[in-house]
């Protein structure tokens, strides 16, 4: 599976942004997909994940109620809709694919995109 993340940019507090992750490979539609983020000087952290069917999603407490993960297996894409953005959301966002036992753990994912930078200014 190859992943290409896009959609990052610089926005103001309270704005919205929609990230996209385009995947290729036969196992994309069977994989759990997730978004992680890494802020400067911090460790990579879990943001959201979605099961292969889209029927099960998980969110970090810090983004719950503001972010929504979705997928379209016919298009091999995963989206992260980010609303009510805050300065603490500033980070490089990575999409990941795999078959994790625990979706919140980065090392459980086999494939990673290159990252897209989101900057939220106050």
């Amino acid at each position: 599976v190859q992943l290409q993340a896009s959609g990052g940019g610089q926005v103001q507090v309270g704005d919205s942004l929609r990230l996209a992750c385009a995947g290729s490979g036969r196992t994309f539609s069977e994989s759990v997909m997730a978004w992680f983020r890494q802020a400067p000087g911090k460790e990579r952290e879990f943001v959201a994940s979605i099961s292969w069917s889209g029927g099960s999603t998980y969110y970090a407490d810090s983004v719950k109620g503001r972010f929504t993960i979705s997928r379209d297996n016919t298009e091999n894409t995963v989206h992260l809709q980010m609303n009510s953005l805050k300065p603490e959301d500033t980070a490089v966002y990575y999409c990941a694919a795999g078959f994790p036992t625990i979706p919140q753990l980065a090392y459980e994912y086999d494939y990673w995109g290159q990252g897209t930078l989101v900057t939220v200014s106050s």
Side-chain angles (χ1 to χ4, degrees):
V1 177
Q2 293 182 319
L3 304 173
Q4 179 78 29
S6 62
Q10 185 165 353
V11 296
Q12 300 294 315
V13 169
D15 284 351
S16 297
L17 208 56
R18 190 183 193 214
L19 304 184
C21 178
S24 62
R26 290 181 295 175
T27 60
F28 179 91
S29 62
E30 302 167 357
S31 302
V32 171
M33 297 298 300
W35 288 94
F36 289 78
R37 66 186 182 186
Q38 188 166 16
K42 295 188 176 181
E43 294 186 353
R44 190 168 298 190
E45 65 173 0
F46 172 79
V47 176
S49 68
I50 187 167
S51 62
W52 68 271
S53 67
S56 180
T57 57
Y58 294 98
Y59 295 92
D61 288 343
S62 58
V63 307
K64 204 171 291 184
R66 300 188 297 123
F67 290 11
T68 302
I69 189 171
S70 61
R71 70 187 296 163
D72 184 345
N73 288 338
T74 64
E75 299 282 339
N76 275 13
T77 57
V78 175
H79 289 101
L80 185 69
Q81 177 67 43
M82 305 187 295
N83 299 329
S84 303
L85 283 162
K86 304 175 180 180
E88 51 263 43
D89 294 319
T90 295
V92 177
Y93 284 72
Y94 298 90
C95 59
F99 303 91
T101 302
I102 302 174
Q104 294 87 346
L105 297 179
Y107 65 76
E108 298 256 359
Y109 291 84
D110 302 306
Y111 307 98
W112 291 84
Q114 85 288 3
T116 185
L117 176 63
V118 173
T119 304
V120 184
S121 302
S122 58

